[in-house]
Every structure is written in C-alpha cells, then in structure tokens.
Amino acid sequence: MALLGGVVGLIVLVVVIVVASGGGGSSSSDHASSGGKSANGAAGAKAKSADARATTSAYRRESRAITRVLGYTPFISRGSPAKKEVALTIDDGPGPLTPQFVRTLQRLRAPATFFIVGQQLNTFDAGLKDEITAGFPIGDHTEQHQTLPPLSPSLQNKAIQDAALRIRSYGVPYPRLFRPPGGAFNATTVSTLRQHRMLAVLWTVDTGDFTRPGTAAIVDRAVNRAKNGAIILMHDGGGDRSQTLAALPEIIRRLRARGFQLVTVPQMLLHDPPSRQQARPLSNGA
C-alpha cells in the first residue's frame, strides 16, 4: 500500500509539472500574438477592411465597369440617355455638415457618390467614416483642391495620390473615381489618372450651390436640368453648405416624382455606360 501510494504520488507530480509547463507556453503564445496585433495598429485592420470590401461581388462588378469605360474614354460627364437614371455627386468634403448629409441620404434611401478633398480629413474625418459606414462610393478630389493643368507632372501626381492614399487609410479600396477641381484637366492629368487606374468624373448639371443662391434655386437647377444619365454636382464642404443640405430632400423627392431612379456613379457605369463621345461641362463649379 505504501508502495502504491508512492507511485500514485509520483504520477500526480508528473502530471502537474506537464500541465503547468503547457499552460505557461500557451499563455506566452497568446500574449505574443496579442502584442503583435497591437503593434500592427489600426492601419492593418483598415487594410484588411479595404481588402474585404474589394472582394465583394458588387465592388468587383462596378470596378470592372469602370475599367471597361476607361478602355474608351478617360472621363465621363454623363451616362447614356437609354435609362432614366440620375447620379447625385457631392464634392469638397467632408465638412461639418457631412454627417447630416449622410443621415439624410440614408433616411431617404438615396444613393450618392462623394468626392473627397484630402486636407479636409484633418478636421472632419468623421464625415468620411460615416460615408464609408453607409456604403457610399468615395472618389478622389485632390489633396488641397488644386487646379491641375498649371502643375508639373510630379505635382499633379502628388495632388491625386496624396488624397487617394489618405482615403485608402480609412479602410476602403484605393479610389477608382476622380473629380478634377473645376473640371480642369490636361494630357498630363489623363496620363496620371491612367497610372492610378482612375476615371475622371465630370457632370451634366451644376446646381451652383457653392455660390449659395438659396435652397429653392438649388432644387430647381438640380431637378429642371436633369435628363436621362445626368450627373448632378453639389457640395458638402468648402463653405457653408446648409442651403444644399436643406435642398437635398426636395431634390430627391422631385427627381423621383419625375420617374428618375437615383444611382451611384459606379452603378450608372454598370447599368448605363456612357457613349464614346463625351462633352466637357461648361461650368467650373467643382
């Protein structure tokens, strides 16, 4: 009995040592893994988020549509007249009212495409986060709203790339859409955009909201000038955009009353791609 008790005691001692050793190793491994994740920081998580978004079937289809259009034109100013579709586009943000723009669009179930000025993210990046969470497409509108043609090739590239990288850092794919400030671009811009696989998006209807003409005027211009395939230009940044925000629900209501379906720019390119003959806009309101 004494011998048996000694054997059992020895076995118990061995088991305790093995379990203790294994447990310690597991805890160290978990701690190292957790530490590695912390060291990678938010940038790694955002990159994974961007990769996840880029693999959705809807994103892949729309990205292919952009690539097809780039195959025959470097810019668009409208879709085709074949379908009764209209795209609302909103520039110069994010700004202080951008979260309210996003909430209004969500409440009315209205899609839109936002074109981001990189430096605005220094103060108003909460607006971009809201746009991303809501699922709105995000385009590049340069880092500092620079007029591009007077700039050298390297400075044009910097203006475009700096904003694109900042947008990418918020966990969305590298932008495929670009709006040149003022609608101004030249051969250097086209070459630079080709390197970045970006399509320049101009517009068919300028609401002139950046001049603050009054809510009624903004509504009338957006609705009365809309035709099939129209791309409508508005702003949520670059100044006081309370008139535009106030006009937005009525614009949406009246466009729908006229039978227009609201779509994003990528959706328009997928459903209703433009012709090979595109006209530049006459206004310079972007």
Side-chain angles (χ1 to χ4, degrees):
M1 291 297 292
L3 179 60
L4 179 59
V7 172
V8 171
L10 182 60
I11 292 173
V12 170
L13 179 61
V14 171
V15 169
V16 168
I17 293 171
V18 170
V19 170
S21 300
S26 177
S27 297
S28 299
S29 176
D30 291 345
H31 179 72
S33 176
S34 175
K37 186 179 291 185
S38 298
N40 289 336
K46 288 177 179 178
K48 290 180 180 178
S49 175
D51 292 340
R53 290 174 187 271
T55 58
T56 65
S57 58
Y59 176 84
R60 290 198 303 270
R61 288 194 302 271
E62 291 170 358
S63 184
R64 286 195 295 267
I66 294 170
T67 299
R68 284 194 295 271
V69 173
L70 275 172
Y72 61 85
T73 180
F75 73 92
I76 64 163
S77 57
R78 62 174 303 156
S80 83
K83 290 190 176 182
K84 208 168 177 65
E85 292 185 343
V86 169
L88 301 178
T89 62
I90 304 177
D91 286 15
D92 289 3
L97 295 179
T98 298
Q100 295 182 54
F101 274 82
V102 172
R103 286 195 294 271
T104 299
L105 292 166
Q106 286 183 300
R107 175 172 57 84
L108 298 173
R109 300 178 183 273
T113 305
F114 288 85
F115 289 90
I116 301 299
V117 175
Q119 67 179 2
Q120 292 294 101
L121 298 173
N122 294 337
T123 308
F124 303 113
D125 70 337
L128 176 58
K129 292 174 183 177
D130 285 352
E131 293 163 6
I132 293 169
T133 300
F136 293 119
I138 307 298
D140 185 330
H141 198 36
T142 73
E143 177 65 16
Q144 297 176 331
H145 204 268
Q146 298 102 312
T147 300
L148 294 176
L151 301 181
S152 67
S154 62
L155 288 179
Q156 286 204 36
N157 182 71
K158 180 174 174 57
I160 294 167
Q161 186 176 56
D162 284 359
L165 290 174
R166 292 186 68 167
I167 292 168
R168 175 68 170 77
S169 75
Y170 282 81
V172 290
Y174 199 85
R176 299 291 314 276
L177 302 177
F178 174 78
R179 174 159 282 164
F185 63 93
N186 58 11
T188 297
T189 316
V190 171
S191 175
T192 303
L193 293 177
R194 186 178 298 117
Q195 295 172 30
H196 292 277
R197 300 179 64 240
M198 289 183 185
L199 175 69
V201 180
L202 305 180
W203 58 89
T204 341
V205 176
D206 182 1
T207 63
D209 64 333
F210 65 97
T211 65
R212 304 184 67 242
T215 298
I218 295 170
V219 172
D220 287 343
R221 292 169 185 174
V223 175
N224 296 339
R225 300 175 185 177
K227 298 180 180 179
N228 289 8
I231 298 174
I232 298 176
L233 170 64
M234 296 181 290
H235 299 80
D236 67 327
D240 179 2
R241 300 302 170 218
S242 56
Q243 292 181 358
T244 307
L245 178 62
L248 193 56
E250 186 65 7
I251 290 172
I252 293 167
R253 186 191 70 78
R254 287 175 55 180
L255 286 173
R256 285 173 169 164
R258 289 186 56 192
F260 288 112
Q261 179 183 359
L262 301 180
V263 295
T264 66
V265 171
Q267 287 171 339
M268 179 175 281
L269 297 176
L270 183 63
H271 304 160
D272 192 28
S275 71
R276 295 174 180 269
Q277 302 299 320
Q278 293 283 296
R280 293 201 192 193
L282 299 178
S283 57
N284 61 351

